[in-house]
Amino acid sequence: MKGKILITPRAFAKNGMKEIEKLKQQGWEIHLNDTGKSYSHEEFVKYAKDVDGIIIGVDIADREMLKGCKNLKAIAKYGVGVDNIDLDTAKELGIKISRTVGSNSVSVAEHTIALMFACAKRIVDGAINVKNGKWNKNYEIELMGKKIGIIGFGNIGRHVGRLAQGIGMNVCAYDVFPINEKYAKEHNIQICSLDELVRTSDVITIHTPLTSETKDMINAERLKEMKTTAIVINAARGGIINEADLYEALVNKEIFASGFDVFSTEPPKTDEKLLRLDNFILTPHTASKTLEADMNTIKMSITNLITDIEG
């Protein structure tokens, strides 16, 4: 036996059984979460304590948990956000961390564009009105010729820019890391400051990780700087946009609409005020839930983990 691997993301039981069989044939002992629901933290800690590697989803790998895993050599994140892993402790213990960067970029970018259209065209509100026996007609927004501001210009951000240009939008981008000027010039991307992006964009979309620096990046002050016709999209992580401030901006018509695929608490509380608004859309963190993205992420996370374990 080569070693033990714990796999917690539910997508593996649904779409990854062929890949798991390959691992078994190679000599790996696999513990798979095939329960159809997420493990409790206690279950996760119990199953992780003697494994060599973990493919992790939403489970919390905190300091106490990591210190209890004496054989653990590597953790492969099923996805890109590693805010559920104590990276400092992992580094201290010599546990390698990998991410599946780019595996679901197309799916998330397409979902971002779908939320943009849904907000601009009042799709959800209009459909619900008709189902409730109404025939209300609201003014919508054309997107052709408008500016989309992309905060975070990695794999997903670049795909969003490409799709937006396909419908005739102008693209500006901001990132805390330098944006490749040659790429920007070749693809007609305007590189701008965060302040300029917030003030001048018709659509603002977030594609950054949640960190201490990005938490509440979009707050009451930033929202007041936006156009009253602006649409704000968050398909990255809950908490990057201050949700209480967003509620006030939407109620007071400081911006036009907002579409989220993530929330600070998932699922949100049943009395969440934002959910009562007809100019706010929330989907249940499904931007990456496509078969194509699942297969890409399954294969990449396995490759990453085995590479790190075997050195």
Side-chain angles (χ1 to χ4, degrees):
M1 184 183 73
K2 287 189 173 182
K4 296 181 180 180
I5 295 174
L6 170 63
I7 301 175
T8 67
R10 287 169 284 178
F12 275 82
K14 186 179 297 183
N15 297 316
M17 295 309 298
K18 287 184 178 180
E19 301 303 318
I20 288 173
E21 286 305 314
K22 290 179 185 178
L23 286 172
K24 290 179 178 178
Q25 290 169 12
Q26 293 166 9
W28 296 97
E29 180 181 330
I30 307 297
H31 180 91
L32 172 68
N33 178 8
D34 57 3
T35 64
K37 57 184 180 180
S38 297
Y39 281 145
S40 68
H41 186 63
E42 291 72 23
E43 289 173 319
F44 175 58
V45 170
K46 179 178 72 172
Y47 295 131
K49 64 181 179 181
D50 64 346
V51 301
D52 299 275
I54 302 172
I55 297 178
I56 193 172
V58 297
D59 313 273
I60 304 298
D62 55 23
R63 182 174 180 82
E64 183 179 359
M65 173 268 172
L66 291 173
K67 293 193 75 172
C69 299
K70 302 304 181 183
N71 300 328
L72 188 59
K73 301 177 181 67
I75 297 176
K77 177 61 189 279
Y78 183 87
V80 294
V82 289
D83 42 295
N84 58 320
I85 303 171
D86 186 332
L87 299 178
D88 291 335
T89 299
K91 183 177 181 180
E92 174 188 325
L93 299 174
I95 300 168
K96 297 177 182 177
I97 307 296
S98 61
R99 305 180 298 145
T100 55
V101 177
S103 64
N104 60 14
S105 296
V106 171
S107 293
V108 176
E110 289 181 353
H111 196 96
T112 297
I113 296 296
L115 285 172
M116 178 180 72
F117 268 108
C119 288
K121 304 303 179 183
R122 303 290 296 270
I123 299 292
V124 175
D125 183 40
I128 290 173
N129 277 332
V130 174
K131 287 186 176 183
N132 289 334
K134 300 176 183 178
W135 199 251
N136 298 340
K137 297 184 179 182
N138 295 310
Y139 272 101
E140 304 173 355
I141 290 177
E142 285 189 2
L143 294 169
M144 183 176 178
K146 299 298 197 303
K147 179 190 282 190
I148 182 170
I150 303 172
I151 300 175
F153 204 59
N155 285 310
I156 296 171
R158 289 194 295 272
H159 280 299
V160 169
R162 174 179 56 81
L163 292 170
Q165 286 175 330
I167 59 174
M169 298 186 78
N170 302 308
V171 179
C172 68
Y174 163 81
D175 204 309
V176 293
F177 299 104
I179 295 173
N180 186 297
E181 293 185 7
K182 181 180 178 183
Y183 178 93
K185 184 176 181 180
E186 289 176 350
H187 293 83
N188 199 27
I189 307 295
Q190 176 193 356
I191 301 174
C192 57
S193 68
L194 181 58
D195 287 340
E196 181 184 2
L197 184 150
V198 167
R199 284 187 291 100
T200 63
S201 296
D202 300 287
V203 177
I204 296 166
T205 179
I206 310 289
H207 301 287
T208 66
L210 176 64
T211 66
S212 58
E213 288 77 24
T214 62
K215 182 173 172 56
D216 294 334
M217 173 191 287
I218 303 299
N219 52 27
E221 182 180 354
R222 292 275 187 211
L223 289 161
K224 290 181 187 301
E225 293 173 351
M226 295 178 188
K227 296 180 178 182
T228 57
T229 53
I231 294 168
V232 178
I233 306 295
N234 185 9
R237 281 289 183 269
I240 297 174
I241 298 175
N242 184 295
E243 290 152 10
D245 292 348
L246 178 68
Y247 174 82
E248 295 299 327
L250 289 168
V251 167
N252 295 324
K253 308 299 182 185
E254 293 172 2
I255 62 173
F256 181 74
S258 183
F260 278 31
D261 183 54
V262 292
F263 214 70
S264 56
T265 301
E266 295 182 2
K269 296 178 181 178
T270 54
D271 61 349
E272 171 56 50
K273 294 190 296 183
L274 277 167
L275 299 181
R276 303 176 198 163
L277 303 181
D278 59 12
N279 57 347
F280 177 77
I281 300 169
L282 175 63
T283 52
H285 208 144
T286 52
S288 62
K289 295 303 291 182
T290 64
L291 177 59
E292 295 86 353
D294 271 2
M295 293 311 302
N296 289 340
T297 310
I298 286 168
K299 292 177 180 179
M300 190 180 293
S301 59
I302 289 174
T303 299
N304 289 346
L305 186 71
I306 301 305
T307 299
D308 282 347
I309 291 176
E310 295 184 337

